Amino acid sequence: MVEFAGWDSRELLTERTVEIFGRCANRRCCETILDVMAAADDVEACVRLEYERLVQVVAVATGSVADAQDAVQEAFARAWERAVRGGDFTHLSGWVVTVALNVVRGGRRRAGIEAKSRGHVAWTVDQLDVETLVDLDHAVRTLPGRQRDVVVLYYLLDLDVATVAELLGVSPGTVKTGLSRAREKLAHALRDREGDPS
Amino acid sequence: VTSDPLDDRLKEALHQLAATRDVPLTVDPLAAVRRRVRVRRAKHRAPVVIGLAAGLVAIVVAAGVILRDGDQTGRLRAGRSHRAPPPSIYSGVTMLDPGPLAPRRNAAFTWTGGELVIWGGVSDQFVTGGRRPYQSFTDGAAYNPETEAWRRMPAAPLPAGDAVSVASATTSEVVIARGTGTAAWSREGNSWRALSPAPRPVEDLERLSDATLISASANAMLDVRSGRWRTLSEPPATLKQTHTAWTGRDLIVVGQSANQSFVALSYRPENDSWRALRSPTALSANAVASGWTGRDLVAVDYGLHAESYDPTTDSWTPLPQIPARFFEWYPGLHAEPNSVTAFLANGFAVVDGSRRWTVMPYRLLDIEPITFGRAAPATAPSATQGRFFVSGVKHDGSATLALVDPLQLARSTRQIQVGVATVTVAEGTKVGTWTTDTNSNRARVAVNVATPAGACQIGSAEPRAPDVNGAPSGWQSDPTGRAWSTHATSTDTVDVSCDSAATTRDMVGHIELPGSAP
């Protein structure tokens, strides 16, 4: 006997939502392959669950929380439209961060403002000493744009090289090269303060 | 790049750096995003508003012309009704690069798990409408939706000819057969391996495992590694136009027997045995199309009857008849676990969990309607359950490829196909019950819609035999102005009745008839 009740789209939607958030109920909820059936709802859910973290991630690259908020909101709006049109995302958080970084860059290019000249950070943690974080902050923000994107996606979103390459539209080799160069520069910020010669 | 202590420290330090960014949540982020979506939509809508204004002017001018011609009885010439602009993107449809291959039918069209593979097929009058000479293809290509890139396959050790090409994918290869010719294409090496010829022409090919494929038409199993076919025991009936489904244990075969009745059989490979299955109650054996949902085999016939077969209970369950025009061309069918999509002549129909069909026009898929002499679109599953690829032919004769989410499309569509009429409904319209009313003389399909302006029923009727019953005419209204009808074609009528004359008039203005196609 065919159980057509199991075909009900609303039930499926609910099941998918449960499946998605059951699988990633923590802050990584959006790091899942999204289905177009629930995509708009998923984008909405991810705004609620991921907004703060993604703003923080983008703010590391931009130095400005206000700019990051603006850019992440804009990126989520674009994601929403894309979802409604039937587009899908292999990694929504990565997609949003990539678009947000481009939004910030585009806005600053239009305004003629250099990224490294912006931003003021109020330091609130002391696990690493403030000087180290300031140096690291400076090091991140003085990286060339593409290297900065790679660092954000690889280290802060914990994406693998292949996914970063896909999101940035470059080859995995380019990502590895950018990562290697960025790593070298960022390592200096840590070594200088921590006295680690490695 | 490998993880090492420095990497770990960097990651930790960067996460700490991110944590220093205090995000003020004075603004509800969801509300902010929604606001931006509205702003973006308004920006996109601006050109449409200008277009609508221009359209309004055109309608006023056209109305003036009609009145000037003395047509004051609510008559409009068939073929002059409003035509919605052909949309490029619908919710639930993603148009894809159709690739380097010429449009074709009867091609092998399959999903490997990472790529869509198309090989072989023919271009004949069913594809070109006689616009180009016949051609049998021996070329193929593979499309990767992740990279949105096509790659061509090298020349295959397979014959040209009229025979249908079929394919089945294993983990590393795609086995393709045409007639009795069989070959395996390596996905990684992009190279071919010739296999032994099948004992009979292969018209269906199911994957039992990575090592074994089976064909009911060839009545044989293929050992993929050795490339050799082994003949099965003889089935209790010889079937034509076979359709198959692999349940995981049995091969279900449906088809037409020698006395043209619908026959269903089951083959169990583990003991090389056949058994007859129950027959459906309403399905004829004429032009059957079928699909496997993962637990049921759903089949439709030429008369648009539909039934589903549950192998666990050996029982057939009728589905509502598809509310579309009769005298359809051979239907096509694609089944997903949560939907079934039937490809008909004037449109395609989607049934969902509520057992309710929604019939939509082919233009939503950028495909030309399948009039007599046209081939149904080809379909293949995609990486995402519930969505599938559709390949067809556009109005200009070129190939088209789309990725379709049928349930989302059925839920969100603003265009429906009622018989021969393509209806564009206003935003906010609810599409209600579809009905099929058949008597000895004619068949009529109808749908109830609730528009913001009022409720309507739109119907389209045709004679039971394809004879001529009148010449196309303009719309005629009854004395109340609430019921309008027209001879849309020499055989089909279309009728609209609404709560008020104004609503009917507006609805008629949003109906396209076959003569109004560009």
Side-chain angles (χ1 to χ4, degrees):
Chain A
M1 184 68 188
V2 183
E3 289 182 14
F4 282 98
W7 289 17
D8 186 85
S9 53
R10 289 217 164 273
E11 282 183 26
L12 276 177
L13 194 67
T14 311
E15 281 173 18
R16 265 205 68 71
T17 310
V18 169
E19 185 191 339
I20 287 168
F21 296 115
R23 195 165 60 217
C24 46
N26 57 23
R27 63 183 206 167
R28 300 290 174 85
C29 86
C30 299
E31 295 173 12
T32 184
I33 295 171
L34 296 177
D35 185 315
V36 69
M37 180 178 288
D41 301 68
D42 290 341
V43 171
E44 184 174 323
C46 288
V47 171
R48 292 189 186 282
L49 287 160
E50 286 280 65
Y51 177 81
E52 184 175 2
R53 180 173 82 101
L54 298 189
V55 169
Q56 288 179 322
V57 165
V58 173
V60 168
T62 64
S64 162
V65 172
D67 283 0
Q69 276 193 298
D70 191 57
V72 169
Q73 286 173 14
E74 178 65 20
F76 265 124
R78 293 182 191 181
W80 200 319
E81 283 187 338
R82 184 181 157 101
V84 167
R85 284 204 306 265
D88 56 359
F89 308 87
T90 50
H91 195 289
L92 179 57
S93 300
W95 191 92
V96 167
V97 167
T98 306
V99 171
L101 291 171
N102 287 336
V103 167
V104 172
R105 228 183 335 262
R108 288 182 177 173
R109 202 178 296 125
R110 281 191 294 278
I113 302 167
E114 284 296 316
K116 58 190 174 190
S117 67
R118 292 287 299 263
H120 170 75
V121 178
W123 301 100
T124 56
V125 295
D126 57 6
Q127 286 167 288
L128 282 176
D129 60 276
V130 169
E131 286 82 1
T132 300
L133 286 177
V134 168
D135 286 352
L136 186 62
D137 181 29
H138 181 259
V140 170
R141 288 159 59 191
T142 52
L143 288 173
R146 183 62 89 195
Q147 286 180 26
R148 200 161 53 229
D149 294 358
V150 169
V151 163
V152 167
L153 294 169
Y154 182 80
Y155 285 113
L156 285 169
L157 287 187
D158 291 333
L159 302 183
D160 58 33
V161 169
T163 308
V164 173
E166 187 184 337
L167 286 166
L168 297 179
V170 299
S171 70
T174 304
V175 172
K176 286 179 184 173
T177 304
L179 207 47
S180 176
R181 289 176 182 159
R183 189 169 168 269
E184 201 176 318
K185 293 170 190 167
L186 299 182
H188 277 297
L190 289 184
R191 284 183 200 134
D192 289 347
R193 290 284 168 189
E194 296 177 9
D196 187 338
S198 62
Chain B
V1 178
T2 54
S3 178
D4 63 14
L6 176 61
D7 251 336
D8 293 341
R9 280 215 311 286
L10 261 177
K11 189 176 284 189
E12 190 187 343
L14 285 164
H15 276 286
Q16 280 194 40
L17 184 61
T20 64
R21 272 50 176 168
D22 283 333
V23 180
L25 286 175
T26 49
V27 176
D28 176 4
L30 190 56
V33 170
R34 281 182 172 152
R35 211 163 28 243
R36 282 173 188 269
V37 170
R38 281 198 297 273
V39 169
R40 291 180 63 80
R41 281 182 182 165
K43 276 184 189 169
H44 294 158
R45 217 177 285 135
V48 178
V49 171
I50 294 167
L52 285 174
L56 193 61
V57 170
I59 289 167
V60 169
V61 170
V65 170
I66 291 163
L67 290 173
R68 190 195 62 202
D69 288 346
D71 190 342
Q72 298 173 24
T73 59
R75 290 166 63 107
L76 291 172
R77 284 179 58 196
R80 289 287 181 88
S81 58
H82 160 79
R83 181 180 172 82
S88 56
I89 298 170
Y90 291 93
S91 181
V93 179
T94 307
M95 298 310 299
L96 305 171
D97 174 4
L101 302 178
R104 56 194 64 198
R105 73 182 183 100
N106 282 352
F109 194 73
T110 196
W111 173 248
T112 68
E115 286 179 300
L116 176 71
V117 168
I118 305 176
W119 186 89
V122 297
S123 174
D124 54 11
Q125 76 274 15
F126 295 106
V127 175
T128 66
R131 285 177 287 198
R132 286 192 297 276
Y134 169 88
Q135 196 175 356
S136 171
F137 298 109
T138 55
D139 60 348
Y143 175 73
N144 183 335
E146 287 293 315
T147 59
E148 299 181 9
W150 284 89
R151 59 172 171 150
R152 276 189 177 274
M153 299 156 82
L158 287 165
D162 276 344
V164 63
S165 309
V166 294
S168 188
T170 66
T171 304
S172 58
E173 292 181 309
V174 178
V175 174
I176 297 181
R178 175 186 256 166
T180 56
T182 316
W185 174 69
S186 162
R187 292 160 58 189
E188 193 173 331
N190 192 17
S191 58
W192 289 92
R193 179 167 64 98
L195 308 180
S196 302
R200 296 179 198 167
V202 181
E203 294 168 3
D204 58 86
L205 195 58
E206 294 284 345
R207 176 183 178 276
L208 305 195
S209 69
D210 231 26
T212 311
L213 306 183
I214 191 167
S215 169
S217 67
N219 197 45
M221 271 201 290
L222 173 69
D223 181 322
V224 179
R225 293 195 186 98
S226 69
R228 292 206 178 88
W229 289 88
R230 180 174 65 79
T231 303
L232 313 180
S233 60
E234 277 304 308
T238 303
L239 303 182
K240 294 188 298 182
Q241 300 175 20
T242 52
H243 294 272
T244 56
W246 174 243
T247 67
R249 191 169 187 199
D250 298 299
L251 182 75
I252 302 174
V253 184
V254 298
Q256 193 182 65
S257 68
N259 65 3
Q260 300 200 330
S261 59
F262 188 108
V263 171
L265 303 174
S266 173
Y267 174 78
R268 182 159 292 183
E270 66 190 45
N271 51 14
D272 188 25
S273 65
W274 288 90
R275 70 186 171 102
L277 303 177
R278 284 203 182 129
S279 295
T281 53
L283 284 177
S284 74
N286 195 359
V288 169
S290 79
W292 175 247
T293 67
R295 54 184 293 175
D296 304 288
L297 181 138
V298 179
V300 299
D301 68 7
Y302 185 80
L304 307 185
H305 302 101
E307 289 193 54
S308 69
Y309 174 76
D310 182 346
T312 60
T313 57
D314 187 22
S315 61
W316 290 86
T317 304
L319 282 163
Q321 194 170 7
I322 302 174
R325 190 182 189 275
F326 282 73
F327 312 125
E328 298 277 357
W329 194 233
Y330 284 80
L333 197 88
H334 183 91
E336 290 284 327
N338 54 5
S339 69
V340 172
T341 305
F343 293 92
L344 311 165
N346 287 283
F348 61 102
V350 176
V351 68
D352 61 14
S354 62
R355 296 167 54 88
R356 174 177 170 275
W357 292 97
T358 300
V359 191
M360 292 166 278
Y362 273 117
R363 74 169 55 146
L364 301 183
L365 307 177
D366 205 9
I367 289 175
E368 183 172 13
I370 304 165
T371 52
F372 281 102
R374 283 282 178 187
T379 63
S382 74
T384 308
Q385 188 174 294
R387 299 166 70 182
F388 61 90
F389 293 101
V390 181
S391 172
V393 180
K394 291 167 78 163
H395 272 94
D396 64 5
S398 61
T400 180
L401 180 66
L403 183 61
V404 178
D405 181 332
L407 289 184
Q408 182 172 0
L409 185 57
R411 280 199 303 266
S412 61
T413 185
R414 287 192 49 215
Q415 293 200 330
I416 52 176
Q417 187 72 29
V418 186
V420 295
T422 304
V423 184
T424 302
V425 297
E427 194 167 355
T429 297
K430 303 273 187 224
V431 178
T433 308
W434 295 76
T435 52
T436 302
D437 175 24
T438 305
N439 62 37
S440 57
N441 296 319
R442 65 168 204 160
R444 177 175 179 269
V445 293
V447 63
N448 295 329
V449 296
T451 76
C456 299
Q457 183 176 85
I458 305 155
S460 180
E462 57 179 319
R464 291 299 308 277
D467 55 353
V468 175
N469 72 341
S473 69
W475 286 95
Q476 304 266 6
S477 76
D478 74 351
T480 68
R482 291 188 302 182
W484 293 38
S485 64
T486 178
H487 275 288
T489 72
S490 62
T491 55
D492 301 81
T493 60
V494 173
D495 57 273
V496 180
S497 57
C498 303
D499 289 345
S500 70
T503 308
T504 306
R505 187 185 298 270
D506 181 63
M507 182 59 77
V508 164
H510 288 80
I511 291 178
E512 289 170 53
L513 304 173
S516 62

